[in-house]
């Protein structure tokens, strides 16, 4: 069984910074792509950033230059430092990872961590 656990969400003022973390644990053979999504109330879940196993990254236009995704393969962990936060960044942030287990490759989700940007 595989678990993804996110942390780092908080209430922060506009212009502030946070760093989200997501760690995968369990019977993991290999980790492929890791992604951060977010979902604001009343809106669809959107892809924020992704990183491949080799470190190639991709970002939503709305976060380019402010968010930086990275990963530590030895720790099965992905990070999302977020700078210059805006009220529009307020959302629940979810980690997603493509993981190989004894059953093969599959996608897994974390439980989410809340980011609120407000003065």
């Amino acid at each position: 069984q595989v678990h993804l656990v996110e942390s780092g969400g908080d209430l922060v003022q506009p212009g502030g910074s946070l760093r989200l973390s997501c760690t995968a644990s369990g019977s993991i053979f290999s980790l492929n792509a890791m992604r951060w999504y977010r979902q604001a109330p009343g809106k669809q879940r959107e892809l924020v950033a992704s990183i491949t196993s080799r470190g190639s990254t991709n970002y939503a236009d709305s976060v380019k230059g402010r968010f930086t995704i990275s990963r530590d393969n030895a720790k099965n962990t992905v990070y999302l430092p977020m700078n210059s936060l805006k009220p529009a960044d307020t959302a629940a942030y979810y980690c997603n990872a493509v993981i190989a287990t004894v059953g093969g490759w599959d996608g897994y989700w974390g439980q989410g961590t809340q980011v609120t940007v407000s003065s």
Side-chain angles (χ1 to χ4, degrees):
Q1 196 160 2
V2 172
H3 298 280
L4 295 180
V5 178
E6 301 106 330
S7 63
D10 205 345
L11 170 64
V12 64
Q13 292 188 346
S17 299
L18 286 174
R19 189 179 83 152
L20 305 184
S21 300
C22 171
T23 298
S25 63
S27 302
I28 298 171
F29 288 173
S30 182
L31 270 176
N32 200 338
M34 302 186 81
R35 306 178 181 100
W36 286 98
Y37 286 79
R38 67 186 181 187
Q39 187 167 19
K43 294 188 177 182
Q44 289 189 330
R45 189 170 296 191
E46 63 171 347
L47 177 63
V48 175
S50 63
I51 185 167
T52 68
S53 58
R54 295 187 177 186
S56 295
T57 59
N58 196 25
Y59 298 92
D61 288 342
S62 59
V63 307
K64 282 180 181 177
R66 300 187 298 121
F67 294 9
T68 306
I69 191 170
S70 64
R71 64 191 286 168
D72 185 332
N73 290 330
K75 296 181 179 179
N76 290 341
T77 298
V78 62
Y79 304 99
L80 189 70
M82 306 183 294
N83 298 315
S84 303
L85 283 162
K86 306 174 182 179
D89 296 317
T90 295
Y93 283 71
Y94 297 91
C95 175
N96 170 269
V98 178
I99 298 174
T101 66
V102 64
W105 290 97
D106 206 348
Y108 295 85
W109 290 91
Q111 81 289 350
T113 186
Q114 180 66 36
V115 171
T116 302
V117 184
S118 175
S119 55

